[in-house]
Amino acid sequence: MLAKRIIPCLDVKNGRVVKGTQFLELRDAGDPVELASMYDQSGADEVVFLDISASQEGRSTLLEMVRRTAEQVFIPFTVGGGIRTVEDIREILKAGADKISINTAAVQRPELIAEGAQSFGSQCIVVAIDAKRVAGEERWLVVTHGGSQKTDLDVVAWAKEVERLGAGEILLTSMDADGTKDGFDYQVTAAVAEAVNIPVIASGGAGKLEHFKDAILVGKADAVLAASLFHFKELSVKEVKEYLESAGIAVRPVITNSESQNGYGAQILEEVYNVILDRKRNPKEGSYTNYLFAKGLDKILKKVGEETAETIIAAKNSDPSELVYEVGDLFYHIMVLLAEKGVKPKDVWEELASRR
Amino acid sequence: MIGIIDYGMGNLRSVQKAFEAAGQTAKLTQDPEEIQSFAGLVLPGVGAFGKAMENLNDLGLVPAIQNYIQAKKPFLGICLGLQLLFTASEESFGGEAISGLDIIAGRVVKFPPDLKIPQIGWNQIIANKESRLLKGVSRQAYVYFVHSYYVRPQNPSVTLTTTEYGISFVSSIALNNVYAIQFHPEKSSTVGLKILSNFGAIIAKGENEVDVG
């Protein structure tokens, strides 16, 4: 099932993250690339960079940052801010961004959406819409220039129009809720999500775990974006995802470093051993493991010897991936040997532990 | 060394860098002769099927790819690179179906119109069988997809994984030395890098595999 996405947003000026962040473990908490990489590791599904540089110099720094991000961060990322022309879009995508986001420029010249979608595909054109509620009504108007300028565009009508022009996603920010930490504007989110058939990212107002759930269940958002909440560690992406999962919402689970490294090795060996035991008990035709058991102890010992020799050869060669592969083979055959002799891997772990 | 075919269909730097992050060395190439010298070959790509075939033809890469695959060397198709392996695609501008590389029998078709198209985001790959490409990847791992079309192989036994998106579709295939995936490993975080590292191991090991199972 398609997962609901959790997206941290980073404000960038002249190649640096603007709002201070509280990640003491980072060498340089102001480096957008390092922060994005950290968010990748901590389970974020995407990252959005919002460039607020005004100068030309800031733009070239931005492109350099996009290039470095594309080389070091292996989740999708979007770049927004200051994009006015198809040429701007081309530059940023060419530098390696997966998507671009346009806001004010799309309101001023809606054809930009169509031009971008035709040149590069809808999937990389995100239209950001800033919405402000008409006091006392269930109606919202589009605001531009970071909320400082009003328009008379109706938010829902504008959302339908950007979809028609070829937008691939809508990033919807409630300017009423933004910064309050009192929760998203679920009404405007739902109104837009129900009006269009492209994904809607809810933004503005996240303060508590429940807000994320409500943005998805009440606001019908496909993804949820937050900034300072994550940067100041009030909540982690992992906490949000675990909460959503417990609420029955499909999210991509966070694989933390500790799970993928510490303790993971022995666990994988146990899993391999269990598969081997299962093959021994329930032989499966064509299985290599069963072939070994059928041939008996001497064949298994011969293979352990061979794989040991191959490990030695691999270690003498320069390619480390070869060594990894051969040690993998060796470990596997040792697990078969243990199973043949009725010894459990756990006995070996305990022996090793006792030698520490 | 892994060769990544650069034929003007999207930015391939991140594919190259992801291979490097997965402990492999990879080089971008569009030289039909150089291609044969790589220990493993990758056909990535995003965009339109017709344009991609046109570019491959213009660069003289169609026979080069077919020869490489016939030589039984490890091959990995990514996203559009999966679809191009098929007989033909529905994707066209009102005309007839466009012919592909015809290495895997079957067609490329569009998602039904009632779904949000393209499918964008993280979805699960459900393994149909054991494979060296997915070694160490959990059974319903999430990976990143961006696509409007999907493949329908004639012979279902090439299916490696399926994915649910309104319908159940084939999200990766394996046939002898040919592997191909609909999702983007270079955007699929730890799981994606693991798959790229597995492809490196397939190259290092050659044909004499030890398959657990």
Side-chain angles (χ1 to χ4, degrees), chain A residues 22 181 206-208 228-236 239:
Chain A
Q22 293 190 343
K181 296 196 175 174
K208 287 193 288 192
S228 53
L229 196 65
F230 291 138
H231 304 329
F232 295 110
K233 287 187 156 179
E234 288 164 45
L235 286 177
S236 70
E239 284 171 317

Side-chain angles (χ1 to χ4, degrees), chain A residues 1-3 40 45 71 74-76 94 96 98-99 123 197 222 251-253 279 287-288 325-326 329 332, chain B residues 11 13-14 17-18 21 116 119 122-124 132 136 142 144 146 186-189 201 205 210 212-213:
Chain A
M1 213 181 144
L2 195 65
D40 173 4
D45 296 310
E71 291 179 357
F74 300 107
I75 52 174
K94 207 175 155 219
D98 298 282
K99 313 175 200 181
Q123 80 287 343
N197 198 31
D222 298 276
V251 289
R252 177 177 69 108
R279 291 285 182 273
S287 147
Y288 175 75
Y325 205 90
E326 293 304 342
D329 280 358
Y332 159 75
Chain B
N11 190 330
R13 284 278 290 160
S14 53
K17 287 290 164 185
K116 287 188 182 184
Q119 171 181 221
W122 297 83
N123 206 335
Q124 288 167 294
R132 294 158 76 194
Y142 277 93
Y144 191 75
V146 181
E186 78 280 14
K187 294 292 164 189
S188 296
S189 197
K205 187 68 182 177
V210 170
V212 179

Side-chain angles (χ1 to χ4, degrees), chain A residues 272 276 279-280 283-307 328-341, chain B residues 209-213:
Chain A
V272 169
I276 291 168
R279 291 285 182 273
K280 196 168 187 221
K284 201 173 144 186
E285 203 173 334
S287 147
Y288 175 75
T289 309
N290 281 133
Y291 162 80
L292 288 176
F293 285 130
K295 288 279 180 183
L297 180 64
D298 285 357
K299 176 72 184 175
I300 296 168
L301 291 174
K302 186 163 168 270
K303 286 303 294 183
V304 169
E306 280 171 19
E307 295 301 341
D329 280 358
L330 179 58
F331 281 6
Y332 159 75
H333 283 96
I334 285 176
M335 288 297 130
V336 175
L337 176 60
L338 292 183
E340 173 71 16
K341 298 295 290 178
Chain B
E209 66 180 278
V210 170
D211 206 348
V212 179

Side-chain angles (χ1 to χ4, degrees), chain A residues 211-239:
Chain A
H211 298 157
F212 288 86
K213 182 184 74 177
D214 291 344
I216 292 164
L217 295 183
V218 183
K220 302 188 166 57
D222 298 276
V224 189
L225 180 137
S228 53
L229 196 65
F230 291 138
H231 304 329
F232 295 110
K233 287 187 156 179
E234 288 164 45
L235 286 177
S236 70
V237 173
K238 189 174 161 75
E239 284 171 317

Side-chain angles (χ1 to χ4, degrees), chain A residues 36-44 75 254-257, chain B residues 189-190:
Chain A
S37 183
M38 186 279 304
Y39 277 122
D40 173 4
Q41 295 306 312
S42 64
I75 52 174
V254 179
I255 305 164
T256 61
N257 272 338
Chain B
S189 197
T190 321

